[in-house]
Amino acid sequence: MAVGLQGPLRGLAVFFLLCMLPRAEGKKVLVVPMEGSHWLSMRDVVRELHARGHHTVVLAPEVNIHFKKEDFFSLETYAISYTQEEYHNLLVQSLLGAFEHQHYVKIFVKSVEVLKNVSALYLSSCAAILHNKTLISHLNSSSFDVVLTDPVFPCGAVLAKYLDIPAVFFLRFIPCEFDFEGTQCPNPSSYIPRLLTMNSDHMTFLQRVKNMLYPLPLKYFCHIAFIPYVNLASELLQREVSLVDILSHASVWLFRGDFVLDYPRPVMPNMVFIGGINCVHRKPLSQVCIGAFTSPCSRQSSLKKETCFQVLTYPVLSPKIPASPSPNHLQ
């Protein structure tokens, strides 16, 4: 008897169908985004999915900042327990704390307090989804083919696992190397610099020791931010699960990174790097400047190159460009 695709293999099949067959019958995509810049980056992907004929539904709380109705997706909102004013005040408080000059102990204590408040708010938002039987029944009956979510807000991953829908993660990274654990990717401390260490991929012995010790304090912050979702998932699934169990449900991981910016690291087959997808497309250089840099090497072409360079860079220094910049202008 034939056995259908299960788990990650089914998700990979759906992902490649979405990307490689733009003219195929449209699929239904449930998007569970994270607020802020996370959504602003993901929105371009949602727009492209719509252009390829897929139907996308964005699930967002009624109280938000960036989730506005657009013509390239359907917006599904759900009720939450906090108000717009409470949400705004909490975000302002967390942002202002980053600009205060205080003793590092006070900064640590205040950061822990802010993190607890923000985590509690997003956890209540997630609970509003998972405990809403009417919403869950509606999502279950909608027959979505895939869930697109940012695992920094693990609610989408929990929802995908509960509904047994393949998940595609869209992220930069997850603190405390949970992205390595979720993908079962090797993570050697000997040459992969840890967050905030300022190390390169070529380290001395002491730098490697530092590379191993730095993540330890971050575990406390990650415990505050992520463990409540594990308890929520265990309650929902009626069995003990770990954060790695939740994250490993993902079929494809889309990383907004690139090795032009990041140091080399091991990767797994379901990890796709899409760095630059959230960058604005700039206009190409003019033909004059391109011609200057492709001309034969001579004193005249050298002068053209320097003059072109001045024209390109001079607006940064002054709003007025001289009519005839000289070769010695930048000296």
Side-chain angles (χ1 to χ4, degrees):
M1 181 174 64
V3 179
L5 291 175
Q6 299 294 328
L9 289 179
R10 181 177 56 172
L12 281 170
V14 172
F15 172 72
F16 285 115
L17 183 64
L18 293 176
C19 297
M20 304 303 293
L21 301 176
R23 300 303 177 188
E25 181 182 354
K27 299 296 181 179
K28 298 186 68 174
V29 183
L30 176 63
V31 181
V32 186
M34 176 65 176
E35 180 69 275
S37 61
H38 301 265
W39 163 241
L40 298 180
S41 298
M42 185 183 286
R43 187 171 57 183
D44 291 336
V45 177
V46 175
R47 182 184 287 107
E48 180 63 24
L49 288 174
H50 173 77
R52 291 172 179 247
H54 306 296
H55 177 61
T56 55
V57 177
V58 176
L59 186 62
E62 290 179 342
V63 174
N64 63 78
I65 295 178
H66 294 293
F67 302 122
K68 307 304 177 185
K69 192 171 182 179
E70 304 272 3
D71 58 358
F72 54 88
F73 65 82
S74 300
L75 182 61
E76 185 90 21
T77 60
Y78 56 91
I80 35 77
S81 58
Y82 51 87
T83 65
Q84 185 75 44
E85 183 179 1
E86 291 173 337
Y87 185 48
H88 179 267
N89 291 339
L90 183 61
L91 292 181
V92 169
Q93 178 188 2
S94 61
L95 290 175
L96 291 179
F99 298 97
E100 295 180 356
H101 297 282
Q102 296 179 342
H103 192 271
Y104 70 91
V105 175
K106 291 184 178 180
I107 294 177
F108 178 82
V109 173
K110 192 166 185 178
S111 299
V112 171
E113 180 184 359
V114 171
L115 179 61
K116 286 182 177 179
N117 293 335
V118 173
S119 299
L121 183 141
Y122 283 121
L123 181 65
S124 66
S125 176
C126 184
I129 299 176
L130 301 178
H131 291 161
N132 189 331
K133 294 183 179 180
T134 303
L135 176 60
I136 292 295
S137 177
H138 169 66
L139 295 176
N140 206 13
S141 62
S142 298
S143 302
F144 287 102
D145 296 289
V146 66
V147 173
L148 175 65
T149 185
D150 190 325
V152 171
F153 178 49
C155 193
V158 175
L159 182 62
K161 189 173 182 66
Y162 177 66
L163 297 177
D164 193 26
I165 302 175
V168 173
F169 287 172
F170 182 86
L171 71 158
R172 181 65 178 89
F173 67 92
I174 306 179
C176 299
E177 285 82 46
F178 283 130
D179 47 342
F180 285 90
E181 296 184 34
T183 54
Q184 301 183 27
C185 183
N187 187 22
S189 300
S190 57
Y191 70 89
I192 299 183
R194 298 297 184 248
L195 184 67
L196 303 178
T197 60
M198 305 300 291
N199 287 336
S200 70
D201 57 338
H202 292 81
M203 292 175 272
T204 64
F205 174 75
L206 292 180
Q207 287 175 328
R208 290 176 179 174
V209 172
K210 174 184 176 182
N211 209 43
M212 295 184 65
L213 296 179
Y214 250 62
L216 298 181
L218 291 178
K219 295 287 185 182
Y220 178 70
F221 288 94
C222 291
H223 181 84
I224 296 174
F226 293 111
I227 292 303
Y229 293 96
V230 175
N231 299 332
L232 191 61
S234 299
E235 175 190 348
L236 188 69
L237 299 172
Q238 297 183 351
R239 59 184 174 87
E240 290 295 324
V241 295
S242 65
L243 184 61
V244 175
D245 292 332
I246 297 171
L247 296 178
S248 61
H249 179 73
S251 303
V252 180
W253 296 64
L254 303 178
F255 285 90
R256 297 192 310 273
D258 192 275
F259 291 124
V260 172
L261 175 65
D262 301 324
Y263 289 108
R265 52 167 283 187
V267 297
M268 300 299 282
N270 63 338
M271 297 167 63
V272 183
F273 290 85
I274 54 173
I277 193 172
N278 55 324
C279 296
V280 177
H281 295 284
R282 297 297 183 186
K283 294 181 180 180
L285 295 176
S286 67
Q287 293 295 327
V288 175
C289 292
I290 294 176
F293 283 89
T294 56
S295 301
C297 279
S298 65
R299 179 174 178 78
Q300 183 180 2
S301 64
S302 178
L303 175 61
K304 289 171 64 180
K305 292 177 184 179
E306 190 167 0
T307 302
C308 179
F309 176 75
Q310 293 169 25
V311 173
L312 287 174
T313 60
Y314 195 81
V316 179
L317 306 175
S318 170
K320 185 177 180 181
I321 303 176
S324 301
S326 63
N328 300 323
H329 182 74
L330 295 180
Q331 297 180 356

